[in-house]
Amino acid sequence: MTVADLYRVAHAGTKQTAEEVDATRARLGAAFADALLLDQVVSENVRSREVGWRPTRTSLQDELAAGYRSAGQPA
């Protein structure tokens, strides 16, 4: 799952649009934008295989889908 996938879950029904890297860096600041622009992937395999951590609650994806909007966050 990518960060973009998590965004789509949290903001269901909204449209994502691409933005040029320089525009993102200007808007958010270079360091923060560069961190967000990395190829970030959330993987259950690494978590369970390499770290040995087993979740005891719902996934971030499920939490975002169920509660993000109900917590009063903007869409």
Side-chain angles (χ1 to χ4, degrees):
M1 173 171 300
T2 66
V3 173
D5 294 333
L6 292 174
Y7 178 89
R8 282 189 288 276
V9 170
H11 300 283
T14 63
K15 181 180 177 185
Q16 281 182 291
T17 57
E19 180 176 74
E20 294 294 324
V21 171
D22 289 339
T24 302
R25 292 179 98 215
R27 184 169 54 87
L28 299 176
F32 185 56
D34 289 346
L36 292 175
L37 292 167
L38 293 172
D39 187 17
Q40 301 175 44
V41 177
V42 178
S43 171
E44 292 183 21
N45 293 332
V46 171
R47 177 193 69 207
S48 60
R49 183 183 67 243
E50 295 181 13
V51 182
W53 179 72
R54 302 280 187 259
T56 58
R57 299 184 69 179
T58 59
S59 70
L60 176 57
Q61 182 178 5
D62 292 341
E63 289 286 334
L64 289 172
Y68 189 77
R69 293 211 173 141
S70 66
Q73 297 298 319

